[in-house]
PDB file of all heavy atoms in Angstrom:
ATOM      1  N   ASN A1713      70.491  98.914 103.634  1.00 91.00           N
ATOM      2  CA  ASN A1713      70.787  99.958 102.654  1.00 91.00           C
ATOM      3  C   ASN A1713      72.011  99.630 101.810  1.00 91.00           C
ATOM      4  O   ASN A1713      72.764 100.507 101.415  1.00 91.00           O
ATOM      5  CB  ASN A1713      70.962 101.313 103.352  1.00 91.00           C
ATOM      6  CG  ASN A1713      70.809 102.472 102.368  1.00 91.00           C
ATOM      7  OD1 ASN A1713      70.140 102.340 101.345  1.00 91.00           O
ATOM      8  ND2 ASN A1713      71.439 103.598 102.662  1.00 91.00           N
ATOM      9  N   ASN A1714      72.178  98.362 101.519  1.00 90.00           N
ATOM     10  CA  ASN A1714      73.339  97.936 100.730  1.00 90.00           C
ATOM     11  C   ASN A1714      72.933  96.740  99.881  1.00 90.00           C
ATOM     12  O   ASN A1714      72.026  95.989 100.242  1.00 90.00           O
ATOM     13  CB  ASN A1714      74.489  97.547 101.671  1.00 90.00           C
ATOM     14  CG  ASN A1714      75.780  97.264 100.915  1.00 90.00           C
ATOM     15  OD1 ASN A1714      75.999  96.159 100.432  1.00 90.00           O
ATOM     16  ND2 ASN A1714      76.621  98.278 100.785  1.00 90.00           N
ATOM     17  N   TRP A1715      73.664  96.543  98.785  1.00 88.00           N
ATOM     18  CA  TRP A1715      73.348  95.397  97.926  1.00 88.00           C
ATOM     19  C   TRP A1715      73.496  94.082  98.669  1.00 88.00           C
ATOM     20  O   TRP A1715      72.902  93.072  98.279  1.00 88.00           O
ATOM     21  CB  TRP A1715      74.220  95.404  96.669  1.00 88.00           C
ATOM     22  CG  TRP A1715      75.704  95.361  96.926  1.00 88.00           C
ATOM     23  CD1 TRP A1715      76.543  96.418  97.042  1.00 88.00           C
ATOM     24  CD2 TRP A1715      76.513  94.197  97.091  1.00 88.00           C
ATOM     25  NE1 TRP A1715      77.826  96.004  97.272  1.00 88.00           N
ATOM     26  CE2 TRP A1715      77.848  94.649  97.305  1.00 88.00           C
ATOM     27  CE3 TRP A1715      76.261  92.831  97.070  1.00 88.00           C
ATOM     28  CZ2 TRP A1715      78.913  93.769  97.502  1.00 88.00           C
ATOM     29  CZ3 TRP A1715      77.312  91.950  97.265  1.00 88.00           C
ATOM     30  CH2 TRP A1715      78.624  92.424  97.489  1.00 88.00           C
ATOM     31  N   ARG A1716      74.268  94.093  99.769  1.00 89.00           N
ATOM     32  CA  ARG A1716      74.451  92.829 100.490  1.00 89.00           C
ATOM     33  C   ARG A1716      73.159  92.346 101.144  1.00 89.00           C
ATOM     34  O   ARG A1716      73.058  91.205 101.569  1.00 89.00           O
ATOM     35  CB  ARG A1716      75.544  92.969 101.536  1.00 89.00           C
ATOM     36  CG  ARG A1716      76.926  93.092 100.936  1.00 89.00           C
ATOM     37  CD  ARG A1716      77.999  93.023 102.009  1.00 89.00           C
ATOM     38  NE  ARG A1716      79.318  93.007 101.401  1.00 89.00           N
ATOM     39  CZ  ARG A1716      79.945  94.100 100.959  1.00 89.00           C
ATOM     40  NH1 ARG A1716      79.358  95.260 101.057  1.00 89.00           N
ATOM     41  NH2 ARG A1716      81.146  93.996 100.400  1.00 89.00           N
ATOM     42  N   ALA A1717      72.184  93.240 101.243  1.00 89.00           N
ATOM     43  CA  ALA A1717      70.890  92.819 101.795  1.00 89.00           C
ATOM     44  C   ALA A1717      69.975  92.241 100.729  1.00 89.00           C
ATOM     45  O   ALA A1717      68.840  91.890 101.006  1.00 89.00           O
ATOM     46  CB  ALA A1717      70.206  94.013 102.478  1.00 89.00           C
ATOM     47  N   HIS A1718      70.496  92.114  99.482  1.00 87.00           N
ATOM     48  CA  HIS A1718      69.635  91.694  98.377  1.00 87.00           C
ATOM     49  C   HIS A1718      68.970  90.350  98.647  1.00 87.00           C
ATOM     50  O   HIS A1718      67.778  90.186  98.480  1.00 87.00           O
ATOM     51  CB  HIS A1718      70.466  91.613  97.098  1.00 87.00           C
ATOM     52  CG  HIS A1718      69.683  91.220  95.875  1.00 87.00           C
ATOM     53  ND1 HIS A1718      68.813  92.083  95.247  1.00 87.00           N
ATOM     54  CD2 HIS A1718      69.630  90.056  95.168  1.00 87.00           C
ATOM     55  CE1 HIS A1718      68.274  91.477  94.203  1.00 87.00           C
ATOM     56  NE2 HIS A1718      68.741  90.249  94.131  1.00 87.00           N
ATOM     57  N   GLN A1719      69.785  89.394  99.090  1.00 89.00           N
ATOM     58  CA  GLN A1719      69.264  88.040  99.248  1.00 89.00           C
ATOM     59  C   GLN A1719      69.218  87.688 100.736  1.00 89.00           C
ATOM     60  O   GLN A1719      68.418  88.231 101.482  1.00 89.00           O
ATOM     61  CB  GLN A1719      70.114  87.066  98.440  1.00 89.00           C
ATOM     62  CG  GLN A1719      69.431  85.751  98.167  1.00 89.00           C
ATOM     63  CD  GLN A1719      70.329  84.782  97.395  1.00 89.00           C
ATOM     64  OE1 GLN A1719      71.457  85.094  97.064  1.00 89.00           O
ATOM     65  NE2 GLN A1719      69.823  83.600  97.115  1.00 89.00           N
ATOM     66  N   VAL A1720      70.093  86.815 101.193  1.00 89.00           N
ATOM     67  CA  VAL A1720      70.087  86.363 102.588  1.00 89.00           C
ATOM     68  C   VAL A1720      71.216  87.071 103.334  1.00 89.00           C
ATOM     69  O   VAL A1720      72.384  86.730 103.158  1.00 89.00           O
ATOM     70  CB  VAL A1720      70.286  84.836 102.645  1.00 89.00           C
ATOM     71  CG1 VAL A1720      70.317  84.372 104.092  1.00 89.00           C
ATOM     72  CG2 VAL A1720      69.189  84.129 101.880  1.00 89.00           C
ATOM     73  N   PRO A1721      70.883  88.047 104.159  1.00 90.00           N
ATOM     74  CA  PRO A1721      71.963  88.833 104.772  1.00 90.00           C
ATOM     75  C   PRO A1721      72.836  88.011 105.735  1.00 90.00           C
ATOM     76  O   PRO A1721      74.009  88.297 105.878  1.00 90.00           O
ATOM     77  CB  PRO A1721      71.224  89.935 105.534  1.00 90.00           C
ATOM     78  CG  PRO A1721      69.833  89.973 104.961  1.00 90.00           C
ATOM     79  CD  PRO A1721      69.557  88.590 104.477  1.00 90.00           C
ATOM     80  N   LEU A1722      72.265  87.050 106.399  1.00 89.00           N
ATOM     81  CA  LEU A1722      73.072  86.267 107.364  1.00 89.00           C
ATOM     82  C   LEU A1722      73.227  84.853 106.807  1.00 89.00           C
ATOM     83  O   LEU A1722      72.514  83.927 107.196  1.00 89.00           O
ATOM     84  CB  LEU A1722      72.375  86.242 108.725  1.00 89.00           C
ATOM     85  CG  LEU A1722      72.370  87.569 109.477  1.00 89.00           C
ATOM     86  CD1 LEU A1722      71.291  87.586 110.537  1.00 89.00           C
ATOM     87  CD2 LEU A1722      73.733  87.842 110.089  1.00 89.00           C
ATOM     88  N   SER A1723      74.169  84.710 105.927  1.00 88.00           N
ATOM     89  CA  SER A1723      74.218  83.451 105.183  1.00 88.00           C
ATOM     90  C   SER A1723      74.784  82.309 106.016  1.00 88.00           C
ATOM     91  O   SER A1723      74.637  81.150 105.648  1.00 88.00           O
ATOM     92  CB  SER A1723      75.034  83.639 103.902  1.00 88.00           C
ATOM     93  OG  SER A1723      76.278  84.218 104.226  1.00 88.00           O
TER      94      SER A1723
END
Side-chain angles (χ1 to χ4, degrees):
Chain A
N1713 199 26
N1714 187 275
W1715 59 267
R1716 290 188 174 80
H1718 181 74
Q1719 199 182 0
V1720 179
L1722 290 160
S1723 52

